[in-house]
């Protein structure tokens, strides 16, 4: 009897995982899937807006750009699969990498596994600067045992190319141009990380620029000229300088690391200057340093002084936020 009841409990638990109850009482499998319409314009979904330090309210770098029926994920930060699922997707059309810091790549393995679970039969297209093949191959090797287990469990039900990627290492310039969508890679300044890039998306007269990790650069201003949405990293320089001063007496190693970080990121006021000089229509902040709570008070403090520089709308990013032109 005990074994029978335990088996029933396992079945009930499995059903609970496979079926979710939505707010209006309707049932749906796992997550209601987003229907992508080729006639739609551009939508930006902030999948991860945080930094490597753990924050349960913020995943790490991942920005989804939906252009009609194509979904392009810029970077695969920690928990990106959770964010994609919340956005109604279990797969993407393509992954673009800005560079290969851990907080920009950590979620690739889980994305590939979930592509297999959901039946993806084709390799995942991946585009990035030099280093993309090494980074992707590293994840595929790390998940090699996982792949063998899945094949043993599921046999022919496990897609043959679930964990495969079609990787292109590219230099600055147009990296994708099909239909109405053109994607342009451009170099940014994230030294000592070289190469590091950002991307501009042009689609049906609308444009989005994702800065990647960078200091303030003339190239970003050039590429963001007159764009509808600029998604730019941002650091509260004043707050971190105060923190660094306090740390010098108690933890000089951490203070030195903090100083190192400040040397290759963009302050909030510099991000406002980029938006102003590029004449962008909307500025969206991500990769927030420090990783503030997604609350009105901390966010207002984070952007203090920016409106004096850039007169357009400023959005402090939160995971799951959707922005349209």
């Amino acid at each position: 009897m005990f074994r029978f009841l335990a088996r029933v409990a396992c079945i009930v638990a499995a059903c609970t995982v496979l079926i979710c109850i939505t707010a209006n009482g309707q049932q749906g499998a796992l997550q209601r899937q987003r229907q992508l319409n080729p006639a739609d314009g551009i939508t930006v979904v902030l999948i991860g807006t945080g930094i490597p330090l753990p924050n349960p309210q913020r995943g790490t770098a991942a920005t989804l750009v939906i252009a009609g029926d194509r979904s392009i994920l810029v970077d695969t930060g920690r928990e990106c699969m959770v964010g994609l699922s919340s956005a109604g997707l279990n797969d993407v059309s393509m992954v673009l990498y800005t560079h290969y810091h851990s907080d920009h790549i950590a979620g690739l393995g889980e994305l590939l596994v979930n592509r297999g679970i959901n039946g993806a039969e084709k390799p995942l297209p991946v585009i990035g600067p030099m280093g993309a093949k090494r980074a992707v191959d590293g994840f595929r090797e790390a998940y090699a045992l996982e792949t063998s287990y899945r094949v043993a469990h599921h046999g022919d039900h496990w897609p043959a190319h679930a964990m495969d990627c079609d990787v292109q290492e590219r230099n600055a310039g147009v990296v994708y141009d099909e239909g109405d969508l053109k994607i342009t890679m451009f170099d940014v300044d994230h030294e000592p990380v070289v190469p590091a890039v950002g991307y501009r998306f042009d689609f049906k007269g609308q444009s989005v620029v994702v800065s990647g990790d960078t200091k303030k650069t003339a190239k970003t201003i050039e590429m963001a000229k007159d764009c509808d949405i600029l998604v730019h990293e941002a650091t509260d320089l004043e707050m971190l300088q105060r923190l660094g001063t306090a740390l010098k007496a108690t933890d000089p190693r951490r203070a030195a690391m903090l100083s190192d970080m400040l040397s290759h990121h963009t302050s909030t006021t510099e991000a406002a200057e980029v938006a102003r000089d590029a004449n962008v229509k909307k500025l969206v902040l991500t990769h927030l340093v420090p990783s503030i709570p997604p609350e009105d008070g901390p966010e207002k403090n984070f952007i203090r002084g920016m409106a004096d520089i850039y007169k357009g709308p400023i959005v402090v990013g939160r995971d799951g936020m959707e922005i349209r032109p």
Side-chain angles (χ1 to χ4, degrees):
M1 177 61 74
F2 176 80
R3 289 182 179 178
F4 172 77
L5 291 176
R7 189 173 181 182
V8 170
C10 289
I11 294 172
V12 171
C15 290
T16 301
V17 171
L18 292 173
I19 302 295
C20 63
I21 306 299
T22 59
N24 61 8
Q26 295 178 334
Q27 292 183 346
L30 288 181
Q31 182 78 28
R32 185 180 299 278
Q33 288 300 292
R34 190 184 198 112
Q35 300 302 309
L36 301 184
N37 186 343
D40 289 343
I42 280 184
T43 299
V44 173
V45 186
L46 302 180
I47 301 299
T49 58
I51 57 176
L53 294 177
N55 182 343
Q57 296 174 305
R58 294 188 187 276
T60 61
T63 302
L64 179 68
V65 179
I66 300 174
D69 59 354
R70 282 164 285 191
S71 54
I72 303 96
L73 185 61
V74 182
D75 292 330
T76 57
R78 184 179 66 234
E79 301 293 347
C80 69
M81 196 62 235
V82 175
L84 285 174
S85 179
S86 296
L89 296 177
N90 55 35
D91 198 0
V92 292
S93 305
M94 182 190 311
V95 166
L96 304 178
Y97 280 118
T98 62
H99 65 292
Y100 308 107
H101 263 143
S102 64
D103 56 317
H104 292 253
I105 65 175
L108 177 62
E110 291 307 296
L111 173 59
L112 295 178
V113 169
N114 277 274
R115 293 184 82 243
I117 292 171
N118 288 289
E121 291 286 354
K122 297 180 180 179
L124 174 67
V126 175
I127 296 175
M130 293 299 295
K133 291 180 180 178
R134 182 179 179 183
V136 171
D137 286 348
F139 275 97
R140 295 186 66 245
E141 175 60 25
Y143 279 73
L145 287 174
E146 156 76 9
T147 301
S148 70
Y149 301 152
R150 294 288 178 177
V151 172
H153 286 323
H154 306 299
D156 292 340
H157 298 296
W158 187 253
H161 298 288
M163 303 295 288
D164 293 342
C165 296
D166 177 11
V167 183
Q168 298 181 44
E169 293 185 334
R170 303 292 292 272
N171 296 318
V174 176
V175 296
Y176 182 90
D177 192 357
E178 291 187 16
D180 296 317
L181 177 60
K182 181 171 73 171
I183 305 174
T184 306
M185 174 193 289
F186 60 93
D187 292 321
V188 298
D189 185 356
H190 194 41
E191 289 189 359
V193 179
V194 179
V197 304
Y199 292 94
R200 178 178 173 119
F201 299 78
D202 289 284
F203 181 69
K204 294 183 177 180
Q206 298 177 323
S207 52
V208 170
V209 170
V210 180
S211 74
D213 283 9
T214 181
K215 294 192 289 189
K216 178 186 175 183
T217 67
K219 192 63 179 180
T220 304
I221 295 171
E222 175 189 338
M223 294 302 298
K225 195 68 175 176
D226 299 322
C227 74
D228 292 292
I229 300 171
L230 170 60
V231 182
H232 203 293
E233 67 135 87
T235 296
D236 187 329
L237 185 59
E238 181 181 336
M239 181 182 295
L240 291 190
Q241 286 175 335
R242 291 200 305 267
L243 177 60
T245 299
L247 279 174
K248 283 182 179 179
T250 59
D251 194 341
R253 184 188 70 87
R254 292 285 293 273
M257 291 179 68
L258 182 60
S259 178
D260 294 340
M261 184 195 70
L262 293 176
S263 70
H264 51 268
H265 287 283
T266 305
S267 71
T268 52
T269 54
E270 289 174 326
E273 291 168 354
V274 171
R276 176 198 64 197
D277 295 347
N279 192 39
V280 306
K281 296 181 176 65
K282 187 180 295 183
L283 173 60
V284 179
L285 304 180
T286 190
H287 198 278
L288 306 180
V289 185
S291 188
I292 59 174
E295 300 169 1
D296 291 343
E299 290 174 350
K300 288 179 180 178
N301 186 59
F302 190 83
I303 62 172
R304 65 195 180 283
M306 293 183 69
D308 295 332
I309 301 169
Y310 170 66
K311 303 304 181 183
I314 301 172
V315 179
V316 182
R318 298 180 179 183
D319 288 14
M321 186 178 282
E322 299 194 11
I323 302 106
R324 296 176 179 82

